[in-house]
Amino acid sequence: MSSKVALLNRITHYIVNRKGKQMRPMFVFLVAKMVSNGEVSERTYRGASVIELIHTATLVHDDVVDDSNRRRGFFSINALWKNKIAVLVGDYLLSKGLLLSIDNNDFDLLKIISIAVREMSEGELLQIEKARKLDITETVYYEIIRQKTATLIAACCSLGAASVKPDSPDIETMRKFGELIGMAFQIKDDLFDYGEEKIGKPTGIDIKEQKMTLPLIYVLNNASKKDKKWLINSIKNHNRDKKRVAQVVAFVKQHGGLEYAISKMKTFQSEALQLLQKYPESEYRSALELMVNYVIDRKK
């Protein structure tokens, strides 16, 4: 990640020292090992690096898009160095990732990653478009989270398989596996918005940003006309009012929104675990099972 530009080095150093859970590279390595009896190659390392670079680039850009000043409990890049620099740093990380693949002729891996980046942008834009109208159905919501979150985890898993077994059917099986985990992961994230725990972002923020998440969609679709009107009015016109946001959160909790979202999340989880059963028992498969369960049970 090093560059001749001192400012850029300062910023990338800041990013590297505040890295997150690094779940995505873990998926790359564990899948590669599971499908090939413990083998990894240089391609696997490059694939994991590219994924982390691209993921970091999207986070830096996301913070600009969301006008967010915090990331993982620290100041975001845009908070410290302003939007213009954050956008350029995101671009730099993205191009670094793509070049890592091109320089090593990993064109199959590059294709997997490029599709993921395209889908993620589409998902974000679809979410923004729907937030304006608040006319989101459960089907549209799944499409948004599939593109926005699940695609990248799907890319990690298919990349892991492709890095050790190019052109094998494992690539598609693992893509599907990653997509299912990604769906569960995002629903879990949505549930944090209604939680009490300190998780690095304040509760009620999705409502404040007019993001329609599964607990809210379920309650909206099952509410009386009067309640629906009040909910939509609250989200559209009173989303900055702390007291009103707290009332919306309480309403969603009272009307089974959380239970519904949890049951859907668990469905995705069990489908993901079923796909792993196709592979012989190994420490890598067990580790992936642990990670699938971690996605559901994590506290932040």
Side-chain angles (χ1 to χ4, degrees):
M1 282 165 77
S2 63
S3 135
K4 293 188 182 75
V5 180
L7 171 66
L8 193 50
N9 284 336
R10 229 177 15 253
I11 296 171
T12 50
H13 194 79
Y14 178 82
I15 292 170
V16 170
N17 286 329
R18 283 157 191 78
K19 54 184 179 283
K21 297 183 277 288
Q22 293 191 306
M23 252 177 65
R24 288 159 189 82
M26 280 188 234
F27 276 122
V28 177
F29 286 118
L30 288 172
V31 167
K33 287 182 170 183
M34 182 181 72
V35 302
S36 68
N37 301 322
E39 295 297 313
V40 286
S41 63
E42 272 301 308
R43 267 163 57 88
T44 316
Y45 282 91
R46 286 198 297 269
S49 306
V50 172
I51 282 284
E52 194 63 6
L53 279 165
I54 305 262
H55 177 54
T56 308
T58 60
L59 294 183
V60 172
H61 281 165
D62 271 356
D63 288 339
V64 175
V65 172
D66 296 339
D67 208 7
S68 172
N69 290 327
R70 313 287 288 180
R71 165 70 63 184
R72 294 165 177 160
F74 297 96
F75 283 115
S76 58
I77 304 300
N78 47 303
L80 291 172
W81 286 283
K82 301 285 175 278
N83 283 349
K84 191 173 178 178
I85 290 175
V87 170
L88 295 169
V89 169
D91 289 345
Y92 174 77
L93 294 170
L94 193 66
S95 61
K96 263 305 219 204
L98 301 178
L99 280 167
L100 182 59
S101 297
I102 292 167
D103 290 346
N104 293 285
N105 293 332
D106 296 330
F107 295 112
D108 55 337
L109 305 186
L110 183 60
K111 185 174 181 184
I112 292 172
I113 291 154
S114 303
I115 290 169
V117 174
R118 181 194 70 197
E119 296 247 310
M120 284 156 71
S121 322
E122 282 183 1
E124 286 287 351
L125 287 161
L126 179 60
Q127 183 169 43
I128 291 167
E129 180 194 343
K130 292 294 176 185
R132 286 184 180 155
K133 293 199 193 115
L134 297 186
D135 63 344
I136 186 166
T137 60
E138 206 172 310
T139 315
V140 173
Y141 165 80
Y142 289 136
E143 187 50 26
I144 289 171
I145 68 168
R146 188 190 65 73
Q147 289 187 309
K148 208 182 74 150
T149 304
T151 324
L152 192 61
I153 298 178
C156 298
C157 297
S158 55
L159 202 77
S163 71
V164 285
K165 289 174 85 176
D167 303 319
S168 71
D170 292 320
I171 300 171
E172 177 52 27
T173 307
M174 287 294 102
R175 187 199 67 75
K176 188 71 197 143
F177 167 74
E179 193 176 273
L180 289 162
I181 298 170
M183 302 291 277
F185 185 91
Q186 186 57 53
I187 295 174
K188 178 70 175 180
D189 250 21
D190 293 347
L191 285 163
F192 283 136
D193 206 45
Y194 295 89
E196 312 300 327
E197 296 107 349
K198 290 273 170 283
I199 53 145
K201 73 169 194 175
T203 53
I205 197 115
D206 289 340
I207 294 166
K208 200 171 134 199
E209 290 173 3
Q210 299 191 357
K211 279 184 188 159
M212 303 287 282
T213 61
L214 192 54
L216 184 59
I217 292 163
Y218 171 77
V219 169
L220 263 175
N221 290 338
N222 290 283
S224 66
K225 244 190 175 145
K226 183 172 150 241
D227 285 340
K228 195 170 182 173
K229 202 174 159 188
W230 174 80
L231 279 167
I232 288 177
N233 182 28
S234 305
I235 298 157
K236 265 200 165 143
N237 305 316
H238 304 281
N239 58 343
R240 300 275 165 203
D241 176 346
K242 276 199 171 126
K243 195 174 159 209
R244 192 75 175 255
V245 168
Q247 286 171 339
V248 172
V249 168
F251 186 91
V252 170
K253 283 181 174 173
Q254 279 158 14
H255 291 78
L258 303 195
E259 288 79 6
Y260 182 77
I262 288 167
S263 74
K264 288 292 178 190
M265 172 177 78
K266 289 191 166 159
T267 306
F268 286 121
Q269 175 198 25
S270 63
E271 283 176 25
L273 289 170
Q274 265 173 327
L275 281 180
L276 288 181
Q277 297 307 310
K278 292 184 175 183
Y279 294 89
E281 265 187 54
S282 68
E283 55 183 317
Y284 315 115
R285 193 184 91 175
S286 307
L288 281 167
E289 286 166 357
L290 270 175
M291 280 187 73
V292 174
N293 295 328
Y294 164 74
V295 161
I296 302 288
D297 300 330
R298 67 201 165 98
K299 297 282 179 277
K300 63 178 184 176

